[in-house]
Amino acid sequence: MASTASPAASWRARFAGGAALRLESIVVLIVLSGIMAALSNVFLSVSNILNIVLSTSVFGVLAIGMTFVISSAGIDLSVGSILALSGVVGAILTSTLDWPWWVGILGCLAAGAFTGAVNGFLVTRGAIPPFIVTLGMLGVARGFALVLSDGVSIYGLPPEITWLGQGRPFGVPVPVIVLLLTALVAHVVLAHTRFGIYAQVIGDNEGAARAMGVRVERMKVLLYTLSGLLSGLAGLLFAARINSGEPTAGLSYELTAITATILGGTNLFGGRGSVAGTLIGALIMGVLQNGLNLLAVRPFYQQIAIGAVLILAVWLDRINSREGWRR
Amino acid sequence: MSLLDLRGVRKSFGAIDALRGVSFSVEAGSVVGLVGDNGAGKSTLMKTITGVYAIDGGDIRFDGASLIGRDPGAIRRAGIEMIYQDLALARMRDVAANIFLGRELTRSVLGLPLIDTKRMRAEAEAMIARLGARIPSVAQVTGQLSGGQQQSVAIARALTFNPKLVIMDEPTAALAVREVEHVLDLIRTLKSHGIAVILISHRLTDVFSVSDRIVVLRQGTVIADDATRDTSMNAVVAHIVGATDAAAH
């Protein structure tokens, strides 16, 4: 009987059931930060901490979209490519065509949302597995970014846009503010609205969702559109920060975004997701990259570290779930 | 006029004709037993009624209106609930969330409709109590419950929104003897409240003990449709396995 479970187990279940936030991820973040602080005396400086959250903000926004998609037992491998495509579209509209800044912002977001919607239609109408659809889109969107930009960076964005990447009202970088606002809205949507609950129920038991009247196909199109839209937002932040539309931006960011999501406690196989957890997961990735930079570890090793962390996180989750109730 | 009326319902999956023109009806407040061998089309037929499958031909009318083209949500709102054999539960969500799945209660916060977990839990608690089911807490994750408890959740969900027709797909297959009697009593209670039931079961004794009519499905067609008092266990078995009528009665 479930009621005879040990107090520790039930406390844990309540914790996971409520916020769906993993205690482990917070512990990992604190331990990792402690190690970095011990190894580097600049790690805990205010400017470095701002650096960490600033570099976290771009793939943090990607990871929030990823959280919705993975909650529904899907996956979006195209986020990094959509980020690049959106940035290029925004730069062409404002720099090449000299249209106003707000057209650039809208164009950026629209390019992301549109590409995500195409993913969604292919997943539902085409009945193609999301892994394949978004892997294909990883190539297609990157290709379009290269074609549209002729393979070169497009410099010279309007100041209103570069402010989004470089501005620091009250000392806080604008991308960090954008990340936190996005996370706040996303948390409410995922945990407290029908849309968010249905996303998780689709990942839990798609047949049950359909039988109970959830419009599963419509939901999936919206979920991939949302992931695309947030990739567009990340593309905007990225382009604004480096003042150019960069066709090679966001390479392998899908790896970072997926890792952050899984580290945050979102179930890789769907059913349960947490935006707060994803934020912690993204910070872990940010601290890891920043720490390795401070320790002058060559960037090539960072790829190895991120990939290894993803595999390790999923492996530990598997071991963990074998003894517990979680799947 | 019947509550539910099926006329020549056809459904194919590729080259397989699962339903080849099924017709029968269910009167308000009556219990119809739907029996047949594995693969006879029982579950497929029920899923066409609940809107999970779209039919290829024929008509399904409920309460005087056609159900064709309506999605599962609209059909639930019309008053048809189904307790699926696999229970159709979201096992990572709590009991209250499952009972209200697809019909979540919301409250307006700054104009946004947010899920009202508190009220859903209170009402789920009341429903579970009314059913006399023993579930530790409606805030418990459904996957942690025993099989019988999970079934109580599925039953509570089907009965919470005042259905006119409840379809039960093998509700007793996974239950202990005492629990089986509980389900059969429940069916009698529903009938006494004027709620119609379609009971799909392999256990003919259960079907005979609660049903008013027995419909036998074989290879996607209705092979027999008799009042329970006018037929016999032997006759029904003969229809199910496809023996000739001579063997019956």
Side-chain angles (χ1 to χ4, degrees), chain A residues 244-269:
Chain A
S244 80
E246 184 70 58
T248 56
L251 268 177
S252 82
Y253 270 32
E254 63 285 338
L255 174 62
T256 318
I258 291 169
T259 307
T261 304
I262 302 303
L263 279 177
T266 293
N267 191 329
L268 177 60
F269 305 100

Side-chain angles (χ1 to χ4, degrees), chain A residues 1-3 13 188 192-194 197-198 200-201 204-205 208 210-213 215 267 270-272 325 327, chain B residues 52 71-73 76 84 88-93 101-104 106 113-115 136 140 144 146 149 157:
Chain A
M1 282 294 103
S3 54
V188 171
H192 299 292
T193 68
R194 285 203 175 118
I197 301 296
Y198 291 170
Q200 296 174 74
V201 169
D204 193 332
N205 187 343
R210 188 172 281 119
M212 291 305 122
R215 293 186 185 150
N267 191 329
R272 229 163 11 87
W325 51 272
R327 231 185 152 79
Chain B
V52 172
D71 67 57
R76 288 185 79 200
Y84 290 83
L89 296 170
R91 292 187 165 77
M92 293 187 215
R93 309 223 77 79
L101 183 51
R103 288 171 154 162
E104 290 76 8
T106 57
L114 300 188
I115 303 277
Q140 186 137 15
Q144 292 177 300
S146 72
Q149 289 170 331
R157 179 173 64 194

Side-chain angles (χ1 to χ4, degrees), chain A residues 224-291:
Chain A
Y224 286 94
T225 305
L226 174 66
S227 180
L229 175 71
L230 290 177
S231 303
L233 178 60
L236 175 67
L237 296 177
F238 192 101
R241 201 163 104 210
I242 61 172
N243 189 21
S244 80
E246 184 70 58
T248 56
L251 268 177
S252 82
Y253 270 32
E254 63 285 338
L255 174 62
T256 318
I258 291 169
T259 307
T261 304
I262 302 303
L263 279 177
T266 293
N267 191 329
L268 177 60
F269 305 100
R272 229 163 11 87
S274 161
V275 172
T278 294
L279 218 47
I280 304 284
L283 278 174
I284 293 173
M285 303 312 289
V287 165
L288 188 65
Q289 289 182 351
N290 176 272

